[in-house]
Amino acid sequence: MFEIEWGRMTAPELKSLAARENSLAILPTGALEQHGPHLPVITDTVSASAAAIGAARKVSQEIPVAVLPGLWLGMSEHHFPFGGTISVDHQTYHAIISSVVRSLRALGFSRLLIVNGHGGNIDALSLAARELAVTFAMPIVATTPWMLARDEVTAIVESKAPGHACEGETSVMMAIAGELVRRDRFEAAIAQEAPAYNAPPGFSRFYSFSERAPETGTLGDPRRSTKEKGEALLAIHERLLVEAIRNERLWSAPDQVWAPGRGRQTTVGAFVNPTEKV
């Protein structure tokens, strides 16, 4: 089996891997934030890393791939009222992702897949993937597996998911690191009924998690969580990531829309050097 975890590889091994055609780096992103009274604060990072590593192992014989250590620092200011949370603002987060991409380009990697495990990062990563792909002329794809195949997830869990520290997340943590799950705190996790604090469809505004899930910091019911459900959910995430890695349309070269003269050239999506006649 090929080694695919960046942190377990040597610099010469990574240098050789980066030099291969279509070399792929995978960055799991998560958070360090409260997950109710029953789950560890590293939950989002651990789940994203597990899915990324599992998918990478499945494609490692056909694709040169390395999974970076999970980025535990995310946008989690909405969880501050519950303690245990470290966060950055959008500007800082964008700068961190940009620096990772710049480093990968300097090392010679061809493309980047960002596997996100935290809802608070979704908007920032969507923007970063679009902007940085053009800035660094590098295919960058960001995804949050929890937001994919919702029907399949719903068929596995018995309560509403995905939520926060819910049956789904709790089951996944049981499958990855069951010793970190406080099963004796499940009842405490549902002690407060969560109010309907969400903006109407089509509107955006800030709500802290103390407004959305007061007292417990939990959205969902972890009591029916099992290791088996977690393994099934992780298998779905891994399968979807493998499909994305193999999807050539996702990895086309980004159109260099900011290149001088681009506005005078082809409108069919392929950049033509402005010094060439069209």
Side-chain angles (χ1 to χ4, degrees):
M1 180 182 295
F2 294 98
E3 180 58 70
I4 51 86
E5 293 187 54
W6 188 293
R8 295 170 60 89
M9 300 170 73
T10 66
E13 289 169 345
L14 286 161
K15 188 173 184 178
S16 175
L17 188 147
R20 293 171 59 188
E21 185 177 3
N22 291 324
S23 55
L24 172 67
I26 302 180
L27 174 65
T29 58
L32 194 70
E33 65 179 28
Q34 72 85 20
H35 268 74
H38 61 292
L39 290 183
V41 294
I42 199 68
T43 290
D44 289 346
T45 311
V46 169
S47 64
S49 296
I53 290 170
R57 285 180 175 149
K58 288 179 170 60
V59 301
S60 61
Q61 294 195 34
E62 60 189 275
I63 295 170
V65 58
V67 181
L68 289 151
L71 178 58
W72 60 265
L73 191 56
M75 296 181 60
S76 302
E77 72 285 346
H78 46 300
H79 288 286
F80 278 144
F82 295 92
T85 299
I86 302 294
S87 183
V88 292
D89 57 25
H90 175 264
Q91 183 177 8
T92 303
Y93 192 63
H94 188 86
I96 292 170
I97 300 298
S98 178
S99 294
V100 172
V101 176
R102 183 181 291 112
S103 298
L104 292 171
R105 288 298 278 158
L107 294 173
F109 278 84
S110 301
R111 50 199 178 129
L112 170 64
L113 173 62
I114 301 174
V115 178
N116 178 51
H118 170 49
N121 296 337
I122 293 175
D123 290 343
L125 289 173
S126 178
L127 177 61
R130 298 196 303 270
E131 288 192 349
L132 297 177
V134 176
T135 299
F136 292 101
M138 179 184 191
I140 301 172
V141 175
T143 187
T144 304
W146 280 111
M147 299 295 107
L148 308 175
R150 302 289 284 270
D151 289 344
E152 293 184 58
V153 171
T154 301
I156 292 172
V157 299
E158 300 174 64
S159 57
K160 185 178 180 180
H164 186 76
C166 58
E167 179 185 348
E169 280 197 314
T170 303
S171 293
V172 166
M173 284 304 293
M174 284 181 169
I176 299 171
E179 72 280 5
L180 299 181
V181 178
R182 278 65 163 179
R183 292 169 173 80
D184 62 331
R185 301 297 294 161
F186 285 174
E187 292 294 334
I190 61 164
Q192 175 70 38
E193 182 71 21
Y197 266 90
N198 286 299
F203 295 86
S204 297
R205 62 144 291 171
F206 175 79
Y207 289 115
S208 77
F209 230 70
S210 65
E211 295 173 289
R212 299 183 63 205
E215 294 189 25
T216 70
T218 302
L219 279 179
D221 187 343
R223 292 176 295 178
R224 295 172 177 159
S225 305
T226 67
K227 176 182 177 181
E228 291 72 25
K229 290 177 182 176
E231 291 171 344
L233 291 167
L234 275 175
I236 292 172
H237 294 176
E238 290 176 12
R239 189 197 80 233
L240 294 169
L241 293 175
V242 168
E243 291 173 358
I245 291 169
R246 290 173 173 158
N247 184 346
E248 294 182 4
R249 190 67 187 91
L250 276 176
W251 301 106
S252 60
D255 190 343
Q256 293 303 295
V257 294
W258 288 100
R262 181 66 183 90
R264 295 187 288 108
Q265 302 302 316
T266 177
T267 59
V268 297
F271 173 64
V272 176
N273 191 308
T275 63
E276 298 177 356
K277 293 183 179 180
V278 179

